[in-house]
């Protein structure tokens, strides 16, 4: 009489799955996997706290009273939501909002519209001097704006008499931006040339090919460029300081925040409340457009 033996239960790797029957090698592998999981998530949490805690500090300080702000207290003793109403009561604050929207919004549109044709030509046209043109674009990216600020200021303020306005910052955007051109050119290189050639064979001109074929496929790259330009213009402090400092009616939010600091006393709770209001549009824009932003930045390095 033969006795039936129960088959051993094994996992996908062929190792025993019974409790207490795992081999030492399997236990070590599981221990290493657990330690790796803990290390990776600990670093992720630490990095998240590194970026989030400053914003939390600003938000909590904006809800404190003037006497409690910047003390050892980490949370408000009483929540002063009216600080945000006081910020809007500051003379000129709404005007600074309008100026920032004009500067960032109009500047972004002008940069995108003017940079797309140049990037398309550098990516899809074959002409003598194409590589030299790309080299000039890259060299302009490496040129610090402080190097040319004096001749530019003399031109816009003395020759064009536009000092005290934001137009010296907006008008040059209608002629393209080196970083936007380079980023769009790198993205357009990922679009197969066969699509462009097929459109040309079907009788489409270059402008129609760009509008009907290339632009729909380049939406992630365009979104990334638009977000980069919007963030830069919205947070720009140096430009408004140079051209608009003499006219409070032309200040932007980034420059207007300086007025919250007094010579002998600073209302840090109101300053932090104004800072939260300045950061809010940027955070909201990135939150809703992060997918297109990440996709556009990632695909720009596929082809060189």
């Amino acid at each position: 009489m033969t006795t039936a033996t129960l088959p051993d239960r094994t996992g996908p790797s062929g190792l025993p799955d019974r409790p207490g029957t795992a081999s030492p090698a399997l236990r070590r592998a599981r221990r290493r996997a657990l330690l790796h999981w803990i290390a990776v998530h600990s670093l992720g949490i630490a990095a998240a706290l590194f970026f989030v805690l400053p914003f939390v500090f600003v938000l909590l300080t904006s809800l404190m009273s003037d006497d409690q702000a910047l003390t050892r207290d980490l949370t408000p003793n009483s929540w002063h939501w009216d600080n945000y109403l006081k910020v809007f009561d500051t003379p000129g604050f709404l005007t600074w909002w309008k100026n920032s929207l004009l500067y960032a919004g109009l500047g972004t549109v002008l940069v995108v519209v003017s940079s797309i044709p140049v990037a398309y030509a550098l990516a899809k046209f074959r002409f003598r001097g194409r590589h030299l043109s790309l080299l000039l674009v890259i060299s302009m990216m490496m040129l610090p704006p402080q190097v040319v600020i004096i001749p530019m200021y003399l031109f816009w303020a003395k020759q064009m008499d536009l000092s005290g306005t934001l137009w010296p910052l907006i008008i040059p955007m209608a002629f393209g931006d080196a970083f936007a051109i380079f980023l769009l050119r790198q993205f357009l290189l990922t679009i197969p040339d066969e699509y462009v050639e097929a459109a040309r064979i079907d009788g489409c001109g270059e402008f129609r090919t760009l509008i009907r074929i290339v632009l729909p496929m380049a939406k992630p790259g365009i979104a990334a460029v638009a977000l980069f330009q919007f963030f830069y213009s919205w947070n720009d402090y140096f430009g408004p300081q140079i051209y608009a400092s003499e006219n409070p009616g032309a200040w932007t939010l980034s420059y207007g925040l300086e007025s919250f600091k007094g010579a002998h006393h600073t209302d840090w709770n109101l300053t932090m409340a104004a800072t939260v209001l300045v950061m809010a549009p940027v955070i909201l824009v990135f939150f809703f457009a992060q997918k297109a932003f990440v996709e556009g930045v990632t695909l720009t390095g596929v082809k060189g």
Side-chain angles (χ1 to χ4, degrees):
M1 180 176 179
T2 59
T3 58
T5 58
L6 294 174
D8 291 336
R9 289 180 297 174
T10 58
S13 60
L15 297 176
D17 262 352
R18 291 179 181 177
T21 62
S23 64
L26 180 59
R27 288 197 296 269
R28 288 194 297 269
R30 289 176 176 174
R31 189 180 300 111
R32 285 195 299 268
L34 178 61
L35 293 176
H36 180 267
W37 185 90
I38 294 175
V40 170
H41 285 76
S42 298
L43 290 176
I45 294 173
L49 291 176
F50 179 79
F51 289 102
V52 171
L53 286 180
F55 178 76
V56 174
F57 169 78
V58 171
L59 181 61
L60 292 177
T61 305
S62 69
L63 298 173
M64 294 180 179
S65 63
D66 184 30
D67 296 332
Q68 187 188 3
L70 297 188
T71 61
R72 294 183 178 181
D73 297 332
L74 297 180
T75 57
N77 296 329
S78 58
W79 301 83
H80 293 266
W81 295 98
D82 58 323
N83 288 341
Y84 290 92
L85 296 178
K86 294 178 181 178
V87 169
F88 279 101
D89 290 338
T90 302
F93 189 78
L94 291 177
T95 302
W96 304 340
W97 261 93
K98 296 177 183 178
N99 293 335
S100 294
L101 289 175
L102 174 66
Y103 180 25
L106 183 57
T108 300
V109 172
L110 291 176
V111 166
V112 171
V113 171
S114 60
S115 299
I116 287 176
V118 182
Y120 176 66
L122 292 175
K124 299 303 181 183
F125 288 1
R126 299 295 180 266
F127 57 91
R128 182 176 299 179
R130 180 168 63 98
H131 296 291
L132 178 60
S133 300
L134 179 61
L135 183 62
L136 291 176
V137 171
I138 296 176
S139 63
M140 290 299 297
M141 291 171 51
M142 299 179 181
L143 186 65
Q146 291 81 3
V147 175
V148 297
I149 190 61
I150 294 179
M152 292 294 293
Y153 178 80
L154 292 176
F155 173 76
W156 290 110
K158 304 301 181 182
Q159 301 296 325
M160 304 300 295
D161 195 22
L162 291 176
S163 179
T165 68
L166 294 175
W167 293 113
L169 301 173
I170 297 175
I171 294 176
M173 295 181 184
F175 301 95
D177 177 76
F179 177 74
I181 293 172
F182 178 78
L183 194 65
L184 283 172
R185 183 256 182 189
Q186 293 300 109
F187 188 88
L188 294 180
L189 287 176
T190 64
I191 299 177
D193 294 338
E194 288 76 10
Y195 291 102
V196 178
E197 295 296 335
R200 291 169 179 169
I201 293 174
D202 289 341
C204 289
E206 296 297 342
F207 181 77
R208 188 178 180 185
T209 301
L210 173 63
I211 299 298
R212 301 292 298 274
I213 305 299
V214 176
L215 290 188
M217 302 176 68
K219 287 181 179 178
I222 297 174
V225 168
L227 287 174
F228 271 124
Q229 184 60 39
F230 182 85
F231 294 160
Y232 168 79
S233 300
W234 185 269
N235 297 320
D236 186 20
Y237 177 86
F238 180 72
Q241 182 188 32
I242 295 298
Y243 292 105
S245 58
E246 63 189 51
N247 179 18
W251 288 0
T252 59
L253 285 171
S254 58
Y255 187 73
L257 284 177
E258 187 71 21
S259 65
F260 282 85
K261 299 179 181 180
H264 304 287
H265 176 73
T266 299
D267 295 327
W268 287 109
N269 56 337
L270 299 183
T271 302
M272 296 302 178
T275 303
V276 172
L277 292 174
V278 172
M279 292 189 299
V282 176
I283 296 175
L284 291 176
V285 169
F286 182 78
F287 178 79
F288 288 106
Q290 59 179 323
K291 182 178 180 181
F293 176 77
V294 173
E295 183 179 356
V297 173
T298 302
L299 295 179
T300 53
V302 175
K303 291 182 67 175

